Amino acid sequence: MLRLGRREFASHERVIMAIVNRTPDSFYDQGATFRDEPALARVEQAVAEGAAIIDIGGVKAGPGEEVSAEEEVRRTAGFVAEVRRRFPDVVISVDTWRHEVGEAVCEAGADVLNDAWGGVDPRLAEVAARYGAGLVCTHAGGSEPRTRPHRVTYDDVMADILDVTLGLAERAVELGVERESVMIDPGHDFGKNTRHSLEATRRLGEMVATGWPVLVSLSNKDFVGETLDRPVKERVVGTLATTAVSAWLGAQVYRVHEVAETRQVLDMVSSIAGDREPAVARRGLA
């Protein structure tokens, strides 16, 4: 059982986490949801299309203009409070590596802290424990926040992923984060080249076998673009193919831009796996 905020998800449920960037320079939408009203409209649309979790980010993942902790709080905390007011049942996640930001957004009503940089600030897990929030424990290959990998190597990339994420998850539980509220993420593209991310996907079942719920953040990433030689705006098909494979291998939570398309892929996989009945089943019965 995965327990986040007011929601509980059975192990066979495939859950969508919709991305809402509160940044003027995000790699995918170039700031389309930086202002409040477009961002709130995005939340409403994502929930209507089947997202159970909204992931709010105040800093672009890649290199760019420096964003202080104070500015990150300004971009996220008030918005979290408004989303909580308008959508009381949605799970609110905030993508941050800073404990100061974690404190502010949990105070505003966030349910999950999505630490995409692999515990670079160890106090973030302490904040999650103190507020009863969930935590995403990600493998980033030891990278500093907002840096790109350069000639990174692993003897065994999945062994390293497991060592890091399981260590972060167990530490979080020791600090007081509820075990049912911790997820592990292989960190596609973070501290990895394209071959590493492909191997992490291929071996995702090894993460699932640990028993921790697995979150994957695949949406329109560079490893998809390089594999198919496609620019950012032409990576949806590759992303959905990777999503289907990840779903079949047992990943539970999917951080995405395209909610409706992802919902269809996950529902189809769930039905093939026998976890979901077809929406309609008339063929050959009339």
Side-chain angles (χ1 to χ4, degrees), residues 38-185:
L40 288 166
R42 160 70 174 162
V43 173
E44 184 174 12
Q45 179 185 12
V47 171
E49 291 178 346
I53 308 170
I54 301 297
D55 190 51
I56 299 163
V59 183
K60 176 184 177 181
E65 182 180 342
E66 182 179 351
V67 180
S68 67
E70 293 76 15
E71 173 61 15
E72 188 180 353
V73 168
R74 189 190 70 79
R75 293 177 180 184
T76 56
F79 186 72
V80 166
E82 184 61 15
V83 173
R84 172 55 66 226
R85 186 184 72 81
R86 296 194 188 194
F87 305 91
D89 295 325
V90 77
V91 177
I92 300 175
S93 169
V94 175
D95 181 354
T96 186
W97 74 88
R98 292 164 163 154
H99 76 273
E100 306 96 324
V101 178
E103 189 98 33
V105 298
C106 283
E107 196 68 39
D111 303 301
V112 179
L113 297 176
N114 180 10
D115 181 9
W117 290 102
V120 69
D121 181 347
R123 295 174 66 184
L124 188 64
E126 298 172 14
V127 172
R130 190 160 64 252
Y131 281 90
L135 185 68
V136 180
C137 299
T138 307
H139 179 272
S143 301
E144 287 296 312
R146 307 192 68 192
T147 60
R148 298 194 189 282
H150 179 67
R151 297 185 178 180
V152 61
T153 61
Y154 299 96
D155 291 333
D156 182 327
V157 67
M158 182 51 74
D160 204 82
I161 289 170
L162 290 171
D163 183 59
V164 170
T165 58
L166 298 184
L168 291 170
E170 291 293 352
R171 176 180 181 269
V173 171
E174 289 171 6
L175 288 169
V177 180
E178 292 293 329
R179 181 172 289 269
E180 295 81 7
S181 301
V182 176
M183 295 164 277
I184 58 173
D185 178 353

